[in-house]
Amino acid sequence: MGASLLPSSLAILCVWFLFPAGLAVASITRHYKFDIKMQNVTRLCHTKSIITVNGQFPGPRIVAREGDRLIIKVVNHVPNNISIHWHGIRQLLSGWADGPAYITQCPIQTGQSYVYNFTISGQRGTLFWHAHISWLRATVYGPLVIFPKRGVPYPFPKPYKEVPIIFGEWFNADTEAIINQSLQTGAGPNVSDAYTINGLPGPLYNCSAKDTFKLKVKPGKTYLLRLINAALNDELFFSIANHTVTVVDVDAIYMKPFQTDILLITPGQTTNILLKTKPSYPNATFLMSARPYATGQGTFDNSTVAGILEYEAPTKHPRSSTVSIKKLPLMKPTLPALNDTAFAFNYTTRLRSLANAQFPANVPQTVDKRFFFTVGLGTNPCPKNQTCQGPNNSTKFAASVNNFSFILPSTALLQAHFFGQNGVYTTDFPSTPLIKFNYTGTPPNNTSVMNGTKAVVLPFNTTVELVMQDTSILGAESHPLHLHGFNFFVVGQGFGNYDPRKDRKNFNLIDPVERNTVGVPSGGWVAIRFRADNPGVWFMHCHFEVHISWGLKMAWIVLDGNLPNQKLPPPPADLPKC
């Protein structure tokens, strides 16, 4: 299992191939090297030079087993600063390897390198890695596949083959120029020109038929598709024409399996699905399509990416069946309406943890600290003597948590916390909104946000309940919120304003879905619980890149515990300097 997933372009210690089949092998160390370099890539008949890892777009696949240690040397050969985040990896006592620029590390500067060193503890499934500075993750991303420990089976039928499918966005223009112009003018950024599947836009775009991802399948087999949404700014509906799939895993956590024709995946989320091919379908082809679920009032890329599921033709067939194997028409799936929030909500509420003896759902049953965060858009005033193109043509777009728009510091927060540097951040992030209003009703006239570098401090092992409430300021909209350093349990969600007296009674504390990225419903709220058992500084932010750029982010600081294995070790010697 897994040999087909191994990248050929990397030097990697694949020690398990040296042992007889079935022999248990202790966890091993795997070495990768990421050379960050420019590469000319052509899509939609448009050639441009993009930032890549090892010249690949999307980047190389990382493959490991639960318990393995990864040592990944990243060398920066491009003019831009770079940092890499291993999205969804818990980073237990290895916060220096988490990767978000100016949060856990200063970025890797031109000509410099940094070795990310971490162990995969208690995780198996599909995650991904991506650049975590400015908009560089538009092209710098790739799959991170974690197999179970050797000899440990999946809690579902073993698939015939496993295939990563990573969704992205393609921009003909330079994405750094796009976001820089947006931040300067205060307007919304230009949208992408296409979505991609494994870097390919597919046949529904002009000048793109040859750039189509094709998955050739055999009849009567089960395929595990590892879906990853690496798009910058869009949640996506996905469907395979005329096929039902079984969802078995999200964000590298096994699920109670359920069947669906259509699924929803937000940026930062992963979903493993089982595709059972039909018993006989020679020469048939089916579109695998994805298009956005869009709830905001801003512009978005209203287009559809497609790949092709292609059934192999039989090598031999009786003469009587020659008629049936002629080329059949290409079948297309039907996807929900672009703003189908009802489907989105119903889909996400179907997700449940396995919650069995082998894979328990360790939901905190008691809560030490409760937080209520509003998330949404707002404005900053236009600087003097400057014309702005944001709301009312007199402001700049901003985004905030509890009305605070986060300002990235010039020194990494983790460094400042570890060495006790003053003046980098404050610890007075509000646990509830300073200004209360009808969050999903008529918005207040004042849309201004406050700006600052603020964090919440948590004692080690604190159990946290956090309710995140969407707001209608500049339009209600769903927000995929990602928490670094932890998985969390989604114990409740609903529409309208959260009411603790009524809504908390309906929380699911038995088998809620466990994940690292959750969509705050448009015009609604979501409640999560987690245990702060990982000392360090942990970023939490919307995974829409435009909202990160506008400040929809904050940080949690988890203090050391009393025992030696509850303390963050000092930084590695090669930690980049600002």
Side-chain angles (χ1 to χ4, degrees):
M1 178 183 67
S4 64
L5 280 172
L6 286 169
S8 58
S9 60
L10 291 177
I12 168 175
L13 291 183
C14 296
V15 176
W16 74 76
F17 286 119
L18 304 177
F19 292 85
L23 185 66
V25 181
S27 301
I28 63 170
T29 299
R30 300 169 188 269
H31 292 263
Y32 286 81
K33 187 180 180 194
F34 277 17
D35 282 305
I36 310 295
K37 55 186 184 182
M38 306 302 295
Q39 182 73 32
N40 280 346
V41 172
T42 303
R43 297 288 185 272
L44 311 179
C45 281
H46 187 96
T47 302
K48 68 172 185 174
S49 184
I50 64 171
I51 298 175
T52 68
V53 171
N54 302 344
Q56 299 176 45
F57 171 69
R61 194 176 304 160
I62 285 186
V63 179
R65 286 192 185 274
E66 179 187 345
D68 285 352
R69 182 182 178 197
L70 284 171
I71 295 180
I72 304 158
K73 183 175 184 179
V74 177
V75 186
N76 187 4
H77 304 280
V78 302
N80 308 66
N81 288 345
I82 192 80
S83 73
I84 305 290
H85 171 51
W86 318 96
H87 183 108
I89 294 287
R90 283 287 316 272
Q91 298 294 1
L92 290 161
L93 300 180
S94 56
W96 303 106
D98 191 40
Y102 302 106
I103 303 298
T104 59
Q105 67 168 92
C106 300
I108 306 164
Q109 298 175 30
T110 307
Q112 303 293 310
S113 66
Y114 180 46
V115 176
Y116 292 92
N117 182 344
F118 56 91
T119 298
I120 300 168
S121 302
Q123 294 183 275
R124 80 297 296 165
T126 304
L127 297 171
F128 71 118
W129 57 264
H130 60 78
H132 211 305
I133 183 169
S134 191
W135 277 27
L136 297 191
R137 79 174 180 89
T139 58
V140 180
Y141 63 84
L144 202 171
V145 173
I146 308 165
F147 291 115
K149 290 179 179 177
R150 181 161 287 283
V152 178
Y154 294 134
F156 47 79
K158 183 180 178 181
Y160 170 72
K161 195 174 179 183
E162 306 188 13
V163 184
I165 292 181
I166 190 161
F167 302 105
E169 285 183 90
W170 172 263
F171 295 77
N172 286 334
D174 172 35
T175 48
E176 290 302 279
I178 289 172
I179 185 55
N180 289 340
Q181 181 187 22
S182 168
L183 294 176
Q184 193 173 349
T185 63
N190 291 341
V191 300
S192 54
D193 295 281
Y195 299 104
T196 57
I197 294 177
N198 292 349
L200 303 171
L204 304 183
Y205 294 102
N206 289 333
C207 191
S208 187
K210 70 181 193 322
D211 291 325
T212 299
F213 172 70
K214 292 184 179 176
L215 177 58
K216 282 191 159 61
V217 296
K218 296 178 184 291
K221 300 286 187 185
T222 298
Y223 292 78
L224 177 67
L225 306 186
R226 298 175 175 270
L227 308 180
I228 301 163
N229 188 350
L232 284 191
N233 292 311
D234 287 290
E235 305 181 56
L236 295 169
F237 293 122
F238 173 75
S239 183
I240 303 172
N242 212 24
H243 287 73
T244 298
V245 298
T246 304
V247 177
V248 293
D249 178 310
V250 297
D251 291 3
I253 296 289
Y254 294 134
M255 304 285 312
K256 286 187 172 72
F258 69 89
Q259 291 190 322
T260 184
D261 300 330
I262 303 161
L263 54 92
L264 174 69
I265 185 166
T266 79
Q269 289 184 341
T270 64
T271 305
N272 283 0
I273 58 175
L274 294 178
L275 169 68
K276 183 84 187 317
T277 55
K278 298 176 186 298
S280 177
Y281 237 134
N283 278 8
T285 52
F286 302 84
L287 281 189
M288 306 183 287
S289 299
R291 77 165 185 211
Y293 162 55
T295 54
Q297 296 181 351
T299 54
F300 61 94
D301 179 357
N302 183 7
S303 64
T304 303
V305 61
I308 293 177
L309 183 76
E310 198 172 295
Y311 278 71
E312 290 184 4
T315 49
K316 292 181 180 178
H317 50 82
R319 286 183 185 178
S320 59
S321 67
T322 51
V323 179
S324 66
I325 69 147
K326 66 181 180 182
K327 204 71 175 172
L328 298 169
L330 182 67
M331 299 189 201
K332 300 177 182 178
T334 302
L335 290 164
L338 291 162
N339 61 350
D340 194 342
T341 294
F343 176 91
F345 188 82
N346 290 337
Y347 174 81
T348 54
T349 52
R350 294 178 73 186
L351 302 171
R352 291 278 191 273
S353 289
L354 266 184
N356 60 19
Q358 190 180 1
F359 302 105
N362 296 316
V363 194
Q365 298 295 313
T366 59
V367 173
D368 298 324
K369 294 204 172 181
R370 286 193 164 93
F371 297 88
F372 180 75
F373 289 177
T374 54
V375 294
L377 303 186
T379 59
N380 270 320
C382 192
K384 284 182 180 176
N385 304 320
Q386 186 182 329
T387 305
C388 289
Q389 298 168 18
N392 303 320
N393 285 327
S394 60
T395 59
K396 290 187 168 194
F397 271 110
S400 67
V401 183
N402 274 354
N403 209 47
F404 274 98
S405 189
F406 189 87
I407 306 287
L408 271 184
S410 53
T411 301
L413 290 187
L414 184 57
Q415 223 167 320
H417 162 65
F418 191 85
F419 293 109
Q421 292 171 260
N422 294 323
V424 178
Y425 63 90
T426 61
T427 58
D428 56 347
F429 189 91
S431 58
T432 57
L434 299 179
I435 302 165
K436 294 175 173 54
F437 62 97
N438 181 1
Y439 304 115
T440 53
T442 305
N445 292 329
N446 182 5
T447 60
S448 294
V449 302
M450 295 175 279
N451 303 287
T453 307
K454 296 178 181 293
V456 171
V457 177
L458 296 171
F460 182 81
N461 226 25
T462 302
T463 53
V464 174
E465 180 181 289
L466 167 63
V467 176
M468 291 178 283
Q469 171 76 58
D470 182 37
T471 64
S472 56
I473 297 175
L474 303 183
E477 160 170 30
S478 62
H479 298 276
L481 263 291
H482 172 49
L483 175 62
H484 290 229
F486 300 94
N487 282 345
F488 51 75
F489 292 94
V490 183
V491 295
Q493 53 187 322
F495 292 111
N497 295 339
Y498 173 71
D499 181 344
R501 290 166 302 179
K502 175 171 63 80
D503 294 323
R504 196 175 282 136
K505 287 187 287 194
N506 298 320
F507 281 1
N508 174 9
L509 302 179
I510 297 167
D511 64 347
V513 64
E514 182 183 348
R515 57 190 328 163
N516 63 59
T517 305
V518 65
V520 179
S522 176
W525 56 271
V526 66
I528 67 172
R529 286 188 181 183
F530 66 95
R531 180 178 297 278
D533 57 0
N534 193 9
V537 176
W538 304 109
F539 211 17
M540 190 177 83
H541 57 86
C542 182
H543 223 276
F544 289 152
E545 213 63 31
V546 59
H547 291 175
I548 303 176
S549 301
W550 287 342
L552 209 167
K553 49 198 176 186
M554 55 81 65
W556 303 87
I557 296 175
V558 178
L559 301 177
D560 285 349
N562 296 322
L563 302 176
N565 65 349
Q566 298 171 347
K567 297 181 190 301
L568 179 70
D574 65 337
L575 185 73
K577 294 177 173 57
C578 287

